[in-house]
Amino acid sequence: MGFPSPASTGTAYAATARTTPTRYRDRASYDRALVHAILDAGYVCHLGFVRDGAPVVLPTLYGRVGERLYVHGSTGSRPLRAAGRAGDDGLPVCLTVTHLDGLVLARSAFNHSLNYRSVMVHGTARQVTDEAELRLALDALVDQVVPGRSADSRPASAKELAATAVLRLDLEEVSAKVRDAGPGDDPEDLALPHWAGVVPVGTAYGTPVAADDLTPGIPLPAYLTRG
Amino acid sequence: MGFPSPASTGTAYAATARTTPTRYRDRASYDRALVHAILDAGYVCHLGFVRDGAPVVLPTLYGRVGERLYVHGSTGSRPLRAAGRAGDDGLPVCLTVTHLDGLVLARSAFNHSLNYRSVMVHGTARQVTDEAELRLALDALVDQVVPGRSADSRPASAKELAATAVLRLDLEEVSAKVRDAGPGDDPEDLALPHWAGVVPVGTAYGTPVAADDLTPGIPLPAYLTRG
């Protein structure tokens, strides 16, 4: 692909001051493969930016293509779209993806925790204006949610492309955080009469429900038979 | 409870400039009961704040008590905790809670969407310093995740309380956003040969896994038999 992309050499992202946590440093990672795996396991992110000096956090879709994230920017926020359009300056953002994996019940209230995998990306988002890159980004957004779906839907028209705001965010200043363990009770609490352990949590997909006006005879696509 | 709280009269929150979306206005709501229901259906939020002029979005726990949210602030962020402690000024935040309910597959790539329920809270977070309120907040955080659990665990010691940072955020400037519908294809696309409909999505809880060092004979508590 002909779009400029950050170098993807090296197995890890470089740590920076703001990607270095002040607590639970052992949970932090800059491993590129781990970051990619966490990003690829989801498609909803929470995108933070600053508007009139105050923070805003929008849930929105993302798609990963190599070392780039594409973010759906038409989320009802005129400032987001305007700022993303502002030429070279771009929009400073923090994009966070979180997967919850377990509820961790300890004997002590204080040591209750969650098991999770999360990725935080700091950077500057810029609106995608090149038509070929915009098409690539839209396919990536659709396929991030349902792999294989972009090839089985009507591609965007020129009018639709013009109405779509997609932001691009390069993966450069990135960290992952993972907790995957049982309860960390203090030794003196181990004999307390409270159940302790982990309740696994995950995302469940139900049986697809066809649209009321679906043309009869169109079968459920193979790519929707997950798991 | 003796802590000052915003008035909870009226069935709706007042809309403000920043809680009024510029697109999909029909998806926005200020209904108090709806907002509470969305908040009560979860326990992980994404908390946005500004650090050195740049946005930061942290996943963390929250608990709701009436018109207050308590947010777990010990998430590895020294600036967050410091700012929350800064007296009357507090920390401007945006707290967003999102539940994904469905993948919406349209015939056109452009009309793909998600069904979801989300709440966005704008306001100023302040660190909880009153010991009684801190205890209430910690119970709320534990019970938000597993209702009934705070009464079945060892309460926090004075030392643990001192080590815990909890932020309080009042529910005043609040909006909900909900999409709950099938695909919105353009009329001219309805006859295209692509499957269209909704894939339901939800959170699934697995069988609880006891800690390796759990005292034999402690049964699984009734409050963990969800659903």
Side-chain angles (χ1 to χ4, degrees), chain A residues 36-45 62-64 97 99 144-145 205:
Chain A
H36 288 181
I38 293 171
L39 291 172
D40 293 353
Y43 41 83
V44 173
C45 65
Y62 68 91
R64 182 176 77 86
V97 173
H99 306 302
Q144 186 86 20
V145 182
Y205 293 91

Side-chain angles (χ1 to χ4, degrees), chain B residues 20 124 191 195 210:
Chain B
T20 303
T124 300
W195 189 90

Side-chain angles (χ1 to χ4, degrees), chain A residues 41-152:
Chain A
Y43 41 83
V44 173
C45 65
H46 282 79
L47 182 72
F49 58 99
V50 179
R51 181 171 65 192
D52 300 333
V56 179
V57 178
L58 287 177
T60 190
L61 272 176
Y62 68 91
R64 182 176 77 86
V65 178
E67 295 297 326
R68 299 190 294 273
L69 292 183
Y70 291 109
V71 184
H72 198 262
S74 295
T75 42
S77 168
R78 192 185 300 136
L80 175 63
R81 290 179 289 149
R85 209 177 285 129
D88 285 341
D89 282 355
L91 179 68
V93 299
C94 177
L95 183 153
T96 301
V97 173
T98 306
H99 306 302
L100 181 62
D101 294 327
L103 315 180
V104 183
L105 280 67
R107 284 83 168 178
S108 61
F110 183 76
N111 281 314
H112 277 62
S113 189
L114 296 174
N115 283 338
Y116 62 92
R117 291 160 291 147
S118 71
V119 161
M120 189 181 293
V121 183
H122 297 273
T124 300
R126 292 186 172 82
Q127 188 153 353
V128 175
T129 53
D130 179 273
E131 186 183 317
E133 186 174 13
L134 194 49
R135 288 198 178 277
L136 174 89
L138 286 177
D139 284 353
L141 286 165
V142 169
D143 287 335
Q144 186 86 20
V145 182
V146 181
R149 177 64 182 181
S150 70
D152 184 27

Side-chain angles (χ1 to χ4, degrees), chain A residues 22-23 46 57 74 76 94 96 98 106-107 109-110 112 120 149 152 154 164 189 194-198 200 202 204 206 209 211 213, chain B residues 22-23 46 55 57 74 76 94 96 98 106-107 109-110 112 149 152 154 164 189 194-198 200 202 204 206 209 211 213:
Chain A
T22 51
R23 293 181 73 236
H46 282 79
V57 178
S74 295
C94 177
T96 301
T98 306
R107 284 83 168 178
F110 183 76
H112 277 62
M120 189 181 293
R149 177 64 182 181
D152 184 27
R154 177 178 65 69
T164 304
D189 289 335
H194 307 299
W195 188 88
V198 176
V209 179
D213 53 10
Chain B
T22 51
R23 293 182 74 233
H46 282 80
V57 177
S74 294
C94 177
T96 300
T98 306
R107 284 84 167 177
F110 183 75
H112 277 62
R149 176 65 181 181
D152 184 27
R154 176 178 66 68
T164 304
D189 289 334
H194 307 299
W195 189 90
V198 176
V209 179
D213 52 9

Side-chain angles (χ1 to χ4, degrees), chain B residues 11-16 19-21 28-35 174-176:
Chain B
T11 58
Y13 298 99
T16 67
T19 62
T20 303
S29 168
Y30 308 94
D31 183 77
R32 198 178 294 269
L34 176 66
V35 165
V174 185
S175 63

